């Protein structure tokens, strides 16, 4: 634990429950079923438990022992719970070792609300896309994702709580990346699930333009890894209503994350900010799963730094509670609700 940790500050943050507007009318789908968004509690909105970067053509459940992953991951989830965390959004998509049954087991053991996703990961030059992603249309991909949202993933009955896609960091969307965004827009229109896109310094503003073409409002979009983008792009996206995910918090990134959050605060846009570590995870390619980075730096190092920079307990709590509940609460967000097609 950081020697400079302000325990009274932490206690005041954990005691706050900042509800999103109208959150009592909304739900969030967890691996154990829907929960009212207003009861989500303090949440880490972008983390991982299991990721396998072997490639879409080779990934399979035989590459890891779920009991070993459970043994390795559970103490980290329990440690997060000890810090006051109530929910964790697990952002590993299909074809990178998404395992909803493992997540349900870990949720039951840790007491945390765990949330999984639907979608496909198009970053890293499409290494993690299955063959059908290149041949099917956006509508056909959306039908797959919508079916998971309605019926559950791979016969488990466990439903995704958001859409997770990823695009390359080039300034313009490639044809297949654009198709993934179009599929996400169509899926949102049918399901109301929030669209979280691994974007970083890439085409975040172009993604917003594609969503607009499909009639989807900016507040249905989370710009994942936005801390890598320019301040100008972050502000432009936040002003439209998009969510700005500052999700790579580690001890080497504290200054950048604090500066980005301060920028949003100074411009009156703190209500668009989300915070998380993008930490974890068990890697089947490495002995024992490799080095698992836990979910504590936000509490031991980053929150005390924010306090030093003048952030109040209420402001910090909002980014971890009310903002997350509003960002992920399931509801259709359309520019023109009466329009059903592009």
């Amino acid at each position: 634990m950081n020697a400079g940790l302000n325990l009274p500050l932490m206690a005041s943050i954990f005691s706050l429950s900042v509800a999103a507007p109208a959150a009592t009318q909304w739900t969030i789908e967890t691996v154990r079923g829907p929960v009212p968004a207003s009861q989500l509690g303090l949440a880490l909105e972008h983390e991982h438990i299991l990721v396998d970067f072997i490639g879409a053509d080779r990934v399979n459940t035989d590459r890891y022992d779920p009991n070993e992953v459970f043994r390795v991951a559970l103490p980290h989830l329990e440690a997060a719970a000890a810090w006051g965390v109530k929910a964790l959004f697990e952002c590993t998509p299909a074809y990178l070792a998404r395992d909803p049954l493992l997540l349900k087991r870990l949720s039951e053991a840790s007491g945390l609300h765990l949330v999984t996703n639907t979608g496909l990961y198009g970053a890293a030059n499409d290494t993690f896309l299955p063959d059908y992603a290149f041949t099917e249309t956006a509508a056909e991909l959306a039908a797959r994702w919508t079916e998971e949202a309605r019926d559950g993933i791979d016969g488990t009955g466990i439903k995704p709580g958001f859409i997770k896609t990823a695009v390359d960091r080039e300034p313009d969307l490639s044809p297949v990346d654009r198709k993934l965004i179009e599929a996400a827009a169509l899926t949102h229109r049918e399901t109301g699930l929030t669209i979280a896109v691994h974007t970083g310094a890439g085409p975040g503003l172009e993604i917003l333009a594609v969503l607009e073409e499909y009639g989807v409002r900016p507040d249905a979009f989370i710009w994942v890894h936005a801390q890598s983008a320019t301040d100008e792009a972050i502000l432009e996206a936040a002003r439209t209503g998009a969510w700005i995910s500052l999700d790579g918090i580690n001890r080497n990134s504290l200054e950048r994350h604090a500066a980005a959050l301060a920028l949003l605060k100074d411009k009156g846009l703190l209500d668009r900010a989300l915070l998380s570590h993008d930490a974890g995870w068990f890697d089947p390619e490495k002995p024992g799963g490799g080095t698992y980075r836990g979910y504590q730096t936000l509490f031991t190092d980053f929150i005390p730094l924010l306090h030093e920079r003048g952030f109040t307990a209420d402001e910090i709590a909002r980014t971890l509670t009310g903002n997350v509940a509003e960002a992920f609460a399931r509801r259709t967000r359309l520019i023109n609700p009466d329009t059903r097609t592009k």
Side-chain angles (χ1 to χ4, degrees):
M1 184 178 293
N2 189 316
L5 189 63
N6 186 318
L7 294 179
L9 169 68
M10 299 300 295
S12 64
I13 289 171
F14 295 152
S15 69
L16 291 172
S17 179
V18 184
T24 55
Q25 303 174 25
W26 303 333
T27 62
I28 294 173
E29 191 72 41
T30 78
V31 295
R32 289 189 285 163
V35 300
S38 60
Q39 297 178 21
L40 188 68
L42 194 154
L44 297 176
E45 53 86 26
H46 191 103
E47 308 292 352
H48 296 275
I49 291 171
L50 169 66
V51 186
D52 190 356
F53 285 113
I54 195 64
D57 59 337
R58 296 174 61 191
V59 69
N60 65 79
T61 56
D62 294 334
R63 284 180 45 78
Y64 61 90
D65 177 356
N67 291 324
E68 184 182 13
V69 182
F70 179 90
R71 178 187 61 78
V72 171
L74 181 59
H76 295 285
L77 296 176
E78 291 174 332
W83 281 109
V85 174
K86 302 299 183 184
L88 183 146
F89 289 75
E90 214 283 344
C91 293
T92 301
Y95 297 94
L96 276 94
R98 179 186 62 169
D99 190 332
L101 288 176
L102 173 65
L103 296 184
K104 183 177 181 181
R105 183 181 170 195
L106 285 166
S107 177
E108 292 169 343
S110 67
L112 292 178
H113 296 305
L114 297 183
V115 185
T116 190
N117 62 84
T118 190
L120 291 173
Y121 188 95
N125 297 314
D126 308 324
T127 301
F128 308 108
L129 288 178
D131 289 342
Y132 68 76
F134 300 96
T135 59
E136 291 188 354
T137 66
E140 289 170 328
L141 293 177
R144 287 177 179 266
W145 304 349
T146 298
E147 182 179 6
E148 288 192 335
R150 289 176 174 167
D151 301 329
I153 298 168
D154 296 334
T156 64
I158 298 170
K159 298 178 181 179
F162 63 106
I163 303 160
K164 169 66 186 295
T165 66
V167 299
D168 286 314
R169 59 178 296 152
E170 281 73 14
D172 300 311
L173 287 168
S174 70
V176 70
D177 283 350
R178 179 184 173 93
K179 181 166 62 174
L180 294 177
I181 302 305
E182 292 172 343
L186 292 170
T187 304
H188 173 79
R189 294 183 66 95
E190 292 298 321
T191 67
L193 293 178
T194 299
I195 303 165
V197 185
H198 168 116
T199 308
L205 299 178
E206 185 180 353
I207 290 170
L208 282 168
V210 174
L211 295 179
E212 183 179 8
E213 289 180 27
Y214 281 77
V216 176
R217 295 202 320 247
D219 60 320
F221 166 58
I222 298 174
W223 187 330
V224 177
H225 313 319
Q227 69 274 0
S228 298
T230 65
D231 288 352
E232 292 76 13
I234 288 174
L235 289 177
E236 185 173 348
R239 286 172 177 141
T240 70
W243 297 97
I244 305 301
S245 180
L246 307 173
D247 50 52
I249 294 172
N250 61 72
R251 288 182 175 173
N252 295 321
S253 74
L254 300 177
E255 289 295 333
R256 171 55 185 158
H257 281 84
L261 196 65
L263 175 70
L264 292 169
K265 176 184 174 180
D266 290 345
K267 301 300 182 180
L269 295 167
L270 196 61
D271 62 346
R272 311 322 295 166
L274 304 171
L275 297 174
S276 213
H277 299 94
D278 188 21
W281 51 78
F282 188 100
D283 183 349
E285 191 72 4
K286 298 176 181 177
T291 301
Y292 196 116
R293 183 165 66 91
Y295 314 110
Q296 71 281 347
T297 305
L298 190 150
F299 306 104
T300 59
D301 294 81
F302 192 59
I303 286 176
L305 177 62
L306 293 180
H307 181 61
E308 292 174 4
R309 303 288 171 86
F311 283 82
T312 67
D314 183 80
E315 289 170 338
I316 297 168
R318 171 159 287 283
T319 64
L320 297 168
T321 56
N323 285 5
V324 183
E326 185 176 355
F328 286 92
R330 185 171 180 171
R331 68 214 188 273
T332 306
R333 284 151 278 181
L334 302 181
I335 296 169
N336 181 357
D338 296 327
T339 302
R340 297 299 298 167
T341 59
K342 179 180 174 183

